[in-house]
Amino acid sequence: METVLEQILEAWHTNNRINLFLIDKISDEGMQCTLSTRGGRNVVRQFTHVHNLRVWHLEKRAEDLAEKLHKFETQDEPDKKTLKQHLESSAQAIETYFRQVAEGEVKRSCFKKGVIPYLGYFISHESHHRGSILLTLKQSGHKLSQADSYAIWNWDRI
């Protein structure tokens, strides 16, 4: 039986693998899609926002873990490889943070309600953006295949 910490980390990494999976499945044209008529984020910039929010939280609670992480500028639109590298780096830093908080090896501030609600916050935020991304793709004519759309819900396999 896995420990609670191992389950927390597996949930976190499953969430991140879904982001990486989607990036692989979205066409280059799809990454440029937006439903905004006022300059809002396109798909690639929604993913950079997800990464930047991770970095921002680390800057507030574990500055040493954030130091080596890249922060995207508002209008940055990295290629898929670069985007995935940075999401992987920030996911690893968040894992280290969760591990340190749970094990108490380094004193870190956390959500008042604890590390599990904090994990829920991160997953909820990123799921919100994935939903927005999928709707943007659908409305823009770049809908993912049904198999790919369902794959993100199979947490036992992804």
Side-chain angles (χ1 to χ4, degrees), residues 4-42:
V4 172
L5 176 57
E6 289 167 338
Q7 292 177 44
I8 289 169
L9 298 177
E10 179 55 35
W12 172 244
H13 285 295
T14 300
N15 171 72
N16 192 59
R17 285 191 300 271
I18 292 167
N19 293 333
L20 302 177
F21 173 85
L22 284 176
I23 291 168
D24 284 340
K25 297 301 180 179
I26 299 170
S27 69
D28 290 338
E29 298 80 20
M31 295 294 275
Q32 296 302 312
C33 291
T34 183
L35 298 179
S36 175
T37 58
R38 297 181 296 159
R41 295 182 188 112
N42 62 13

Side-chain angles (χ1 to χ4, degrees), residues 61 97 101 108-118 121:
R61 292 181 168 85
Y97 169 82
V101 169
R108 300 277 191 212
S109 66
C110 189
F111 267 20
K112 289 179 183 176
K113 294 183 179 184
V115 71
I116 294 174
Y118 201 18
Y121 167 84

Side-chain angles (χ1 to χ4, degrees), residues 27-152:
S27 69
D28 290 338
E29 298 80 20
M31 295 294 275
Q32 296 302 312
C33 291
T34 183
L35 298 179
S36 175
T37 58
R38 297 181 296 159
R41 295 182 188 112
N42 62 13
V43 169
V44 70
R45 287 178 29 224
Q46 287 200 58
F47 281 115
T48 64
H49 166 73
V50 164
H51 166 77
N52 281 352
L53 186 90
R54 293 174 180 181
V55 175
W56 182 84
H57 276 270
L58 288 171
E59 287 173 342
K60 302 299 179 207
R61 292 181 168 85
E63 192 172 346
D64 58 308
L65 297 178
E67 286 175 351
K68 296 179 184 173
L69 297 174
H70 173 76
K71 259 185 118 168
F72 292 105
E73 296 298 324
T74 303
Q75 299 301 319
D76 283 354
E77 294 185 2
D79 62 39
K80 289 181 179 187
K81 180 180 177 186
T82 302
L83 180 58
K84 287 175 62 176
Q85 287 171 338
H86 290 297
L87 283 167
E88 288 171 342
S89 294
S90 62
Q92 187 59 48
I94 294 289
E95 176 192 332
T96 300
Y97 169 82
F98 282 148
R99 186 179 299 281
Q100 290 174 343
V101 169
E103 293 177 346
E105 64 186 62
V106 177
K107 181 127 174 80
R108 300 277 191 212
S109 66
C110 189
F111 267 20
K112 289 179 183 176
K113 294 183 179 184
V115 71
I116 294 174
Y118 201 18
L119 168 69
Y121 167 84
F122 275 111
I123 291 175
S124 296
H125 174 258
E126 296 185 16
S127 296
H128 159 76
H129 284 285
R130 287 194 297 262
S132 179
I133 286 165
L134 291 173
L135 178 61
T136 296
L137 294 170
K138 181 179 178 180
Q139 294 293 319
S140 300
H142 293 274
K143 184 177 175 182
L144 293 185
S145 72
Q146 188 174 28
D148 291 340
S149 293
Y150 287 144
I152 67 172

